[in-house]
Amino acid sequence: MLRRLWVLCLAFLLAGFAVPARADLIISIGNASVAQGGTGTVDVLLTSTAGSQAPDLINNYAFQLQITNNGVDNTQLAFSANQDFGYISNSSFNPAYLFLGNSFDAAPPSSPVGSPGQTVYPNDTFTGADSTYSGNPVSLSSGNTYLLASLTVTTLTGASPLVGDAFTISLVPTSNTFFDNFDFNSGSELTATPFTSTSGTVNIVAAAVPEPSSIVTGLTALLILAGVHAVRHVPCRRRRLARER
């Protein structure tokens, strides 16, 4: 009897090891340093943990990101209202955009991937979405990284950040964030891929100060230009004096 129980326990244990791990997408938000009074770029990357034999199939996605201040001074970093979505059709980006060459947003007439909005303060949230133009899914498996978004953040807000401030940009796991394989003919979702995410940090740094050597070079160039300008005006002055005589 004890032997039979041991065999049953071993069978259940082996069956547990035989169950394949659930494949997830991992959304990674990059870190950045942004000069006070300036703008910067934050990349959002996507990878899959699926095996090549059973890849994740994605033809439709939406995501929402939110910025929060890590400090207590209530300054504000925001998503720029003027985003450049050229990355969705630019093959020179590495890693390449998730739907490169088959993006609905990139198809003429192109449309913006998304726009900023307000959760706590103006433009602290960005919501984006895209799908494949053909409706066919992209196969994602472990070992490949894709660009999901490349977004501009700005310090030019109603409460501009100070040097030393830090902000976190996080994926908001609400109904506005999903990655799925959707049947656009029937209007039904075929599969939804679960996801996890890692947040990114934006640090505010001092604006670069010109080096002394560049200042000297600039002054030298100005003196040379001033000398050339004076020389060019000498003949004119001589002719004017000659006429007056």
Side-chain angles (χ1 to χ4, degrees), residues 78-87 112 114-116 126 150-154:
F79 291 105
S80 174
N82 300 312
Q83 296 287 334
D84 181 1
F85 298 114
Y87 61 86
S115 60
F126 184 90
S150 185
L151 302 175
T152 302
V153 293
T154 179

Side-chain angles (χ1 to χ4, degrees), residues 37-86:
T39 62
T41 302
V42 174
D43 289 339
V44 183
L45 304 179
L46 180 148
T47 57
S48 172
T49 61
S52 58
Q53 299 301 315
D56 291 321
L57 300 177
I58 307 294
N59 70 349
N60 185 49
Y61 75 75
F63 66 88
Q64 189 171 78
L65 305 175
Q66 185 177 349
I67 302 173
T68 55
N69 189 327
N70 293 349
V72 295
D73 58 3
N74 294 321
T75 58
Q76 300 171 3
L77 178 75
F79 291 105
S80 174
N82 300 312
Q83 296 287 334
D84 181 1
F85 298 114

Side-chain angles (χ1 to χ4, degrees), residues 26-34 40-46 65-67 77 79 145-151 153 167-171 197-203:
I26 302 174
I27 314 302
S28 304
I29 303 167
N31 301 320
S33 294
V34 179
T41 302
V42 174
D43 289 339
V44 183
L45 304 179
L46 180 148
L65 305 175
Q66 185 177 349
I67 302 173
L77 178 75
F79 291 105
T145 300
Y146 300 88
L147 179 67
L148 183 63
S150 185
L151 302 175
V153 293
F167 297 83
T168 296
I169 302 181
S170 303
L171 186 72
S197 65
T198 59
S199 300
T201 300
V202 176
N203 294 298

Side-chain angles (χ1 to χ4, degrees), residues 25 39 47 70 85 98 128 140 151 161 195 224 234:
L25 297 177
T39 62
T47 57
N70 293 349
F85 298 114
L98 175 62
L140 309 178
L151 302 175
F195 58 88
I224 292 173
V234 167

